Amino acid sequence: MAGNGVFAEILDGEVYKFYSEGEWKKSSSGKSVAIINPTTRKTQYRVQACNQEEVNQVMEIAKTAQKSWAKTPLWKRAELLHKAAAILKEHKAPIAECLVKEIAKPAKDAVTEVVRSGDLVSYCAEEGVRLLGEGKFLVSDSFPGNERTKYCLTSKIPLGVILAIPPFNYPVNLAVSKIAPALIAGNSIVLKPPTQGAVSALHMVHCFHLAGFPKGLISCVTGKGSEIGDFLTMHPGVDCISFTGGDTGIAISKKAGMIPLQMELGGKDACIILEDADLDLVAANIIKGGFSYSGQRCTAVKVVLVMESVADALVEKVNARVAKLTVGAPEDDSDITPVVTESSANFIEGLVMDAKEKGATFCQEYRREGNLIWPLLLDNIRPDMRIAWEEPFGPVLPVIRISSIEEGIHHCNASNFGLQGCVFTKDINKAILISDAMETGTVQINSAPARGPDHFPFQGIKDSGIGSQGVTNSINMMTKVKTTVINLPTPSYTMGTKSVSMRAIGSKL
């Protein structure tokens, strides 16, 4: 169980410790931060409220540890990552328990997240060995005006200290998607988990601890963003920031300075449905894409743009499936569980009330009990309604009826977000043309938006982010190119037509 067995050392009384120098520690602040169970709305866990001095210590330790880690052979880095992955999957039950209690993730999905995270770590280890084990060789005479007098050798070297900040909705999976690439590339990692999800992340970090990584290489600090958030992201010891979340990422990008940034900041993923689409397939994907984990996913379907001629039929099919969704506690594996905080529920309700005042059609009665909001499909949404543009991050899905493909593309591209989108049609030519026209990082054809598999490139444009994720892209992003140029005394052509005199070479040495 959480906080017991092999995890006993991470808990001090009722407060979970933070991780530094390969040890679990209590903060000198003497303060803690409460984590509220979304279902009971009562304090479930408490974590240390680290202070700025402790952040300074962690950064200094991470810098020193990274220098030694960069000299560790690739095969050894991969070996430790494989070990951590196995430990993570072995202890999936207590970690999943934390996910259920602190972010109300359905039990079966919580277990899946942990197993998926272990698989990601192992894949990253293998990909890192392949990717980083190969360099590049260039010769100078490939550029006009040059003879073959220079050999250029390139390799990838680590950036240094990576600051990783994952979101509440996937606090384990999106943490390891940053940690594993950083470590295989030779970097050290400082993890700042979200408050909701912090205990799950601490359990995950302990799996890396048990794997035997060098002391100081991995650190995990918890606390209030208002006290250590800006201090972390603006810290001179940070060489790269990998952040997943919301608008906070835009503020971070403006303050971070000249360091690489990898950011995914949410989306308003549009689903465009043409007249020839398989409506049963569409309805199934709308349910999966719009309502899984209560819509609290960056890649959830956030707006349905359906051709008017098939709108009635589609809405009927989706409503029939909505009626079958179970609503309740995450422990019961309910389809719809409480959203993460009361403030989130209030925000969602604000969008719903705005739509109601402006004449939206409610396909179900709006129901809310505490943080639990019943699934709701809103039809006949107009562009003057907030929910047409804002990301609810909850189980509420707007339907906009369109009269042309161009209208759907226009609405998609008018958004300040550009993470993912999807198009449903049996005409692959139309699908490709629409995909090319949609201003999003990814377009899914005949399927709901999704981040995975985890080795696929994952990126957003506009306010949806900077850079690209996915195992290979993350490893590349957390390294920089190092070049060594060998200057030869005379042009060299292996088995070329020129005769090379060794005596001439000797005279030039």
Side-chain angles (χ1 to χ4, degrees), residues 26-42:
K26 294 188 293 184
S27 173
S28 60
S29 71
K31 299 178 182 178
S32 64
V33 179
I35 297 176
I36 308 301
N37 184 316
T39 305
T40 65
R41 292 191 291 167
K42 296 179 180 178

Side-chain angles (χ1 to χ4, degrees), residues 100-332:
V100 169
K101 291 182 177 178
E102 62 180 339
I103 64 169
K105 181 158 286 190
K108 63 179 185 298
D109 296 335
V111 172
T112 298
E113 177 175 345
V114 182
V115 173
R116 171 187 179 184
S117 298
D119 291 339
L120 191 158
V121 174
S122 287
Y123 188 98
C124 191
E126 293 295 323
E127 181 69 2
V129 168
R130 289 189 291 268
L131 188 66
L132 300 170
E134 293 184 355
K136 195 172 183 180
F137 175 68
L138 298 171
V139 290
S140 53
D141 67 332
S142 58
F143 194 86
N146 288 270
E147 292 190 283
R148 189 168 296 193
T149 56
K150 296 176 183 286
Y151 286 170
C152 178
L153 308 175
T154 68
S155 60
K156 296 180 185 293
I157 61 173
L159 295 176
V161 179
I162 310 295
L163 174 61
I165 308 177
F168 81 84
N169 55 347
Y170 290 90
V172 175
N173 183 256
L174 284 172
V176 301
S177 75
K178 305 172 190 302
I179 294 171
L183 293 179
I184 194 65
N187 300 288
S188 60
I189 194 90
V190 175
L191 176 68
K192 168 59 177 75
T195 298
Q196 301 290 142
V199 175
S200 307
L202 291 169
H203 280 72
M204 174 272 296
V205 168
H206 192 58
C207 294
F208 281 81
H209 168 78
L210 294 173
F213 282 87
K215 292 184 177 181
L217 186 67
I218 304 169
S219 304
C220 184
V221 293
T222 55
K224 295 182 178 179
S226 59
E227 295 182 9
I228 63 171
D230 282 352
F231 192 73
L232 274 166
T233 56
M234 298 173 67
H235 199 284
V238 174
D239 298 300
C240 169
I241 300 174
S242 180
F243 174 92
T244 304
D247 293 343
T248 303
I250 296 175
I252 290 173
S253 69
K254 293 177 180 178
K255 300 174 183 177
M258 288 185 63
I259 62 172
L261 300 176
Q262 182 186 51
M263 295 195 166
E264 189 265 286
L265 310 179
K268 185 68 176 176
D269 298 9
C271 177
I272 299 178
I273 300 145
L274 274 56
E275 292 168 317
D276 67 340
D278 179 339
L279 296 186
D280 288 318
L281 176 67
V282 176
N285 275 272
I286 285 176
I287 293 296
K288 176 184 176 182
F291 296 104
S292 61
Y293 189 38
S294 303
Q296 295 177 111
R297 297 164 46 250
C298 295
T299 55
V301 172
K302 304 286 176 55
V303 60
V304 174
L305 302 164
V306 56
M307 294 293 286
E308 180 69 53
S309 61
V310 294
D312 285 343
L314 177 66
V315 168
E316 182 180 351
K317 289 179 180 292
V318 174
N319 280 332
R321 291 174 180 265
V322 168
K324 296 178 182 178
L325 293 173
T326 58
V327 181
E331 290 85 352
D332 299 330

Side-chain angles (χ1 to χ4, degrees), residues 53 65 88 99 127 167 181 272 344 372 393 443:
E53 180 55 36
L88 190 62
L99 291 168
E127 181 69 2
I272 299 178
S344 296
L372 184 61
F393 233 65
V443 176

